[in-house]
Amino acid sequence: DTAVSQTPKYLVTQMGNDKSIKCEQNLGHDTMYWYKQDSKKFLKIMFSYNNKELIINETVPNRFSPKSPDKAHLNLHINSLELGDSAVYFCASSQKGSNREKLFFGSGTQLSVL
Amino acid sequence: AQKVTQAQTEISVVEKEDVTLDCVYETRDTTYYLFWYKQPPSGELVFLIRRNSFDEQNEISGRYSWNFQKSTSSFNFTITASQVVDSAVYFCALSEAGTASKLTFGTGTRLQVTL
């Protein structure tokens, strides 16, 4: 039933490791996003994909690589994790048309890098 | 560049009080969208409202109401007769009209409603 689902919900890992966060939406939307929320609760867009094509890349380090195998999935892979990557990562989706700007968010993945 | 300012970092009220959360935005676009999202302690982001720049009508939904004033670039949110369940962080956001929704968020206002 969950519209936008992310896994895992919590991720604890050591510096230098590589990790992935998965996101799936069952809303039939054509656009998906990754947002990052830092420890001060500030939310900022990282990436957006429309029909598997990258359309927004907000000056994110290239250690972060989104991958969209199909329009229902947008995974986030992070290489060589750093302490500053600790944050909550939110996946979201939206649909072309009059409701394009209404984003549906997943419940977030809390990443802790030790 | 777009910017959203939520000057109130934290507000505490007693249940049944009315509370207004302020939001001021900056944009050079003539067409844009304004949003409010709620983030309860459980962490998810819950959509509350979307308003486009051509529609300045105020909106009421139950205990929630929104006041959009283009002249002052503000989109304030009022909760009437607040309840403990309203305790959350509330985010105002702005999006330019385009091929994808790049939301620019404010820094959020933490609302604490106590008995």
Side-chain angles (χ1 to χ4, degrees), chain A residues 9 13 42-43 59 72 94-95:
Chain A
K9 188 166 174 63
T13 188
F42 184 62
L43 274 155
T59 322
S94 69
Q95 178 57 39

PDB file of all heavy atoms in Angstrom, chain A residues 9 13 42-43 59 72 94-95:
ATOM      1  N   LYS A   9      15.438   1.734   6.345  1.00  0.00           N
ATOM      2  CA  LYS A   9      15.008   2.917   7.095  1.00  0.00           C
ATOM      3  C   LYS A   9      16.182   3.494   7.895  1.00  0.00           C
ATOM      4  O   LYS A   9      16.289   4.701   8.075  1.00  0.00           O
ATOM      5  CB  LYS A   9      13.854   2.550   8.044  1.00  0.00           C
ATOM      6  CG  LYS A   9      13.228   3.767   8.722  1.00  0.00           C
ATOM      7  CD  LYS A   9      11.902   3.419   9.367  1.00  0.00           C
ATOM      8  CE  LYS A   9      11.359   4.596  10.159  1.00  0.00           C
ATOM      9  NZ  LYS A   9      11.077   5.769   9.313  1.00  0.00           N
ATOM     10  N   THR A  13      27.050   2.741   9.159  1.00  0.00           N
ATOM     11  CA  THR A  13      28.188   2.190   8.446  1.00  0.00           C
ATOM     12  C   THR A  13      29.455   2.949   8.794  1.00  0.00           C
ATOM     13  O   THR A  13      29.414   4.029   9.395  1.00  0.00           O
ATOM     14  CB  THR A  13      27.927   2.226   6.930  1.00  0.00           C
ATOM     15  OG1 THR A  13      28.969   1.512   6.249  1.00  0.00           O
ATOM     16  CG2 THR A  13      27.888   3.662   6.422  1.00  0.00           C
ATOM     17  N   PHE A  42      17.539  20.886   7.576  1.00  0.00           N
ATOM     18  CA  PHE A  42      17.465  21.579   6.297  1.00  0.00           C
ATOM     19  C   PHE A  42      17.353  20.570   5.166  1.00  0.00           C
ATOM     20  O   PHE A  42      18.153  19.642   5.069  1.00  0.00           O
ATOM     21  CB  PHE A  42      18.691  22.464   6.114  1.00  0.00           C
ATOM     22  CG  PHE A  42      18.641  23.284   4.865  1.00  0.00           C
ATOM     23  CD1 PHE A  42      17.642  24.220   4.675  1.00  0.00           C
ATOM     24  CD2 PHE A  42      19.580  23.111   3.856  1.00  0.00           C
ATOM     25  CE1 PHE A  42      17.575  24.970   3.508  1.00  0.00           C
ATOM     26  CE2 PHE A  42      19.517  23.858   2.692  1.00  0.00           C
ATOM     27  CZ  PHE A  42      18.524  24.780   2.519  1.00  0.00           C
ATOM     28  N   LEU A  43      16.348  20.760   4.306  1.00  0.00           N
ATOM     29  CA  LEU A  43      16.067  19.855   3.191  1.00  0.00           C
ATOM     30  C   LEU A  43      16.551  20.459   1.887  1.00  0.00           C
ATOM     31  O   LEU A  43      16.214  21.589   1.551  1.00  0.00           O
ATOM     32  CB  LEU A  43      14.565  19.639   3.062  1.00  0.00           C
ATOM     33  CG  LEU A  43      13.964  18.540   3.905  1.00  0.00           C
ATOM     34  CD1 LEU A  43      12.504  18.823   4.165  1.00  0.00           C
ATOM     35  CD2 LEU A  43      14.127  17.191   3.213  1.00  0.00           C
ATOM     36  N   THR A  59      24.860  19.838  -7.874  1.00  0.00           N
ATOM     37  CA  THR A  59      26.241  19.962  -7.413  1.00  0.00           C
ATOM     38  C   THR A  59      26.528  19.025  -6.246  1.00  0.00           C
ATOM     39  O   THR A  59      27.025  19.434  -5.188  1.00  0.00           O
ATOM     40  CB  THR A  59      26.545  21.424  -6.977  1.00  0.00           C
ATOM     41  OG1 THR A  59      25.898  22.318  -7.853  1.00  0.00           O
ATOM     42  CG2 THR A  59      28.037  21.679  -7.011  1.00  0.00           C
ATOM     43  N   ALA A  72       9.826   3.515 -12.031  1.00  0.00           N
ATOM     44  CA  ALA A  72       9.268   3.284 -10.697  1.00  0.00           C
ATOM     45  C   ALA A  72      10.347   3.168  -9.628  1.00  0.00           C
ATOM     46  O   ALA A  72      10.036   3.057  -8.447  1.00  0.00           O
ATOM     47  CB  ALA A  72       8.413   2.016 -10.700  1.00  0.00           C
ATOM     48  N   SER A  94       6.672  12.491  -8.346  1.00  0.00           N
ATOM     49  CA  SER A  94       5.591  13.372  -8.786  1.00  0.00           C
ATOM     50  C   SER A  94       5.197  12.990 -10.203  1.00  0.00           C
ATOM     51  O   SER A  94       5.900  12.226 -10.871  1.00  0.00           O
ATOM     52  CB  SER A  94       6.001  14.847  -8.727  1.00  0.00           C
ATOM     53  OG  SER A  94       6.984  15.135  -9.713  1.00  0.00           O
ATOM     54  N   GLN A  95       4.100  13.550 -10.668  1.00  0.00           N
ATOM     55  CA  GLN A  95       3.564  13.175 -11.973  1.00  0.00           C
ATOM     56  C   GLN A  95       3.405  14.403 -12.856  1.00  0.00           C
ATOM     57  O   GLN A  95       2.943  15.448 -12.403  1.00  0.00           O
ATOM     58  CB  GLN A  95       2.211  12.486 -11.810  1.00  0.00           C
ATOM     59  CG  GLN A  95       1.516  12.083 -13.097  1.00  0.00           C
ATOM     60  CD  GLN A  95       2.366  11.171 -13.963  1.00  0.00           C
ATOM     61  OE1 GLN A  95       3.064  10.289 -13.460  1.00  0.00           O
ATOM     62  NE2 GLN A  95       2.336  11.401 -15.260  1.00  0.00           N
TER      63      GLN A  95
END
